[in-house]
């Protein structure tokens, strides 16, 4: 985040960082039929920090993480697959 405050996330900034990291391009490529196979553990380890205390209490695991991120970024479940 631009304020450098812990556990404070801005959806627009997260989306910008995901684009910079190549995740949005990976989604586009995946839609075109080319598989991207990042291990679930690796993805979870990179992005679980984005879950706040409420999210952590509501569930756990890769599927929960992806559902929370999808909701925050207004991405539907047709855009990703576990």
């Amino acid at each position: 985040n631009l304020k450098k405050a812990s556990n404070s996330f801005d959806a627009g900034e997260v989306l910008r960082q995901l684009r910079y990291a190549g995740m949005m391009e990976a989604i586009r490529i995946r839609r075109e039929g080319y598989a991207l196979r990042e291990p679930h553990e690796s993805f979870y380890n990179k992005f679980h920090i984005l879950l706040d205390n409420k999210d952590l209490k509501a569930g756990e695991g890769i599927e929960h993480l992806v559902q929370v991120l999808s909701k925050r970024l207004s991405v539907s479940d047709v855009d990703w697959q576990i």
Side-chain angles (χ1 to χ4, degrees), residues 1-80:
N1 63 50
L2 299 176
K3 296 177 185 176
K4 306 293 186 209
S6 65
N7 293 322
S8 176
F9 301 100
D10 176 273
E13 184 65 14
V14 170
L15 183 57
R16 186 189 70 75
Q17 290 174 359
L18 287 171
R19 283 187 178 128
Y20 183 80
M23 291 306 298
M24 303 312 285
E25 179 69 6
I27 290 170
R28 184 191 66 75
I29 291 169
R30 177 72 174 114
R31 283 184 188 154
E32 292 178 3
Y34 300 99
L36 169 68
R37 303 282 188 242
E38 179 173 359
H40 292 173
E41 184 177 345
S42 172
F43 182 87
Y44 187 85
N45 289 337
K46 288 179 187 176
F47 295 103
H48 79 278
I49 189 70
L50 297 174
L51 297 175
D52 58 26
N53 287 333
K54 184 178 101 178
D55 296 325
L56 291 170
K57 290 177 184 176
E60 60 183 35
I62 185 72
E63 189 167 348
H64 177 67
L65 171 63
V66 172
Q67 288 173 348
V68 169
L69 294 178
S70 295
K71 184 176 178 183
R72 287 184 186 170
L73 298 172
S74 300
V75 177
S76 72
D77 60 353
V78 298
D79 295 321
W80 59 268

